[in-house]
Amino acid sequence: TMYGNRCSSSSPGVTMAPFLSGERSTGFRVGANGCISGITRETSSIDIVYACLESVVLRLCAVIKLLTGVSSGGDGEYILVASGNALENNHLWRQMLADCCGIDIVVDSDANEGTSRGVALLVANKLCNERSLKETLVVENKSVPDLKAKNNWNKASLAQESLIEAVSSTWCGNGT
């Protein structure tokens, strides 16, 4: 698979900040721009596609870490229910997200408006802290994290954060 081949790529250092419309994740920097770093003559189109997918996965994982910290103080087991065409239909991307975050990613074939439902359940569980509200999932697909990949994802996250830090002073309207 492309994901498996990426680990042995001749150009593994390609890193991207995926802010094509500003940053709307952890920093909310409206003037942020996308940036790709680490391209060499050996960089292939697959390396660039992978860097694009990886960059979004890393930002999603950063948000998921913030949400799991808010929902239970950082402890507990989680399952992420994928919603939207990109995650529902792209096994590679779901697997990357599972590996990066270290949590199971499932596609619920019975879910409509999965994001809205998930937010509603998160808020309801916080408001009703004396009991846990659960819904039955109709699991169509499940991506289980490969814990051996976690070290590589940690390195990728650090590389992305370093890139963001390095280029953020060039963004307009960020007060940096």
Side-chain angles (χ1 to χ4, degrees):
T1 64
M2 185 171 77
Y3 185 45
N5 289 343
R6 176 59 168 93
C7 296
S8 61
S9 170
S10 60
S11 184
V14 179
T15 302
M16 180 179 182
F19 308 136
L20 303 181
S21 299
E23 184 199 6
R24 298 185 215 153
S25 56
T26 58
F28 295 100
R29 294 172 274 215
V30 177
N33 297 313
C35 177
I36 299 177
S37 175
I39 296 174
T40 68
R41 288 179 196 246
E42 289 77 35
T43 301
S44 69
S45 58
I46 289 176
D47 293 324
I48 293 172
V49 168
Y50 180 87
C52 291
L53 291 172
E54 176 186 78
S55 68
V56 174
V57 165
L58 290 167
R59 299 322 304 156
L60 287 171
C61 190
V63 171
I64 290 166
K65 285 180 183 176
L66 291 174
L67 289 173
T68 56
V70 167
S71 69
S72 71
D75 56 354
E77 282 193 35
Y78 297 92
I79 294 174
L80 180 77
V81 179
S83 64
N85 256 348
L87 284 173
E88 288 174 358
N89 295 314
N90 190 325
H91 174 73
L92 170 65
W93 218 2
R94 279 195 317 274
Q95 188 60 53
M96 291 170 72
L97 187 57
D99 292 347
C100 183
C101 294
I103 59 176
D104 292 352
I105 312 290
V106 299
V107 174
D108 182 3
S109 63
D110 197 35
N112 288 322
E113 298 298 329
T115 302
S116 299
R117 188 172 90 179
V119 169
L121 280 170
L122 179 66
V123 170
N125 277 317
K126 269 316 222 189
L127 292 174
C128 303
N129 59 11
E130 69 276 357
R131 68 183 194 283
S132 180
L133 304 173
K134 301 217 185 248
E135 282 193 21
T136 304
L137 294 174
V138 180
V139 177
E140 182 179 319
N141 291 303
K142 183 175 185 176
S143 299
V144 178
D146 177 359
L147 299 179
K148 295 179 284 187
K150 191 64 180 161
N151 189 43
N152 290 336
W153 281 104
N154 288 339
K155 289 178 185 176
S157 179
L158 291 173
Q160 186 183 64
E161 292 299 329
S162 294
L163 175 62
I164 291 168
E165 181 65 30
V167 299
S168 64
S169 64
T170 68
W171 298 334
C172 298
N174 290 306
T176 55

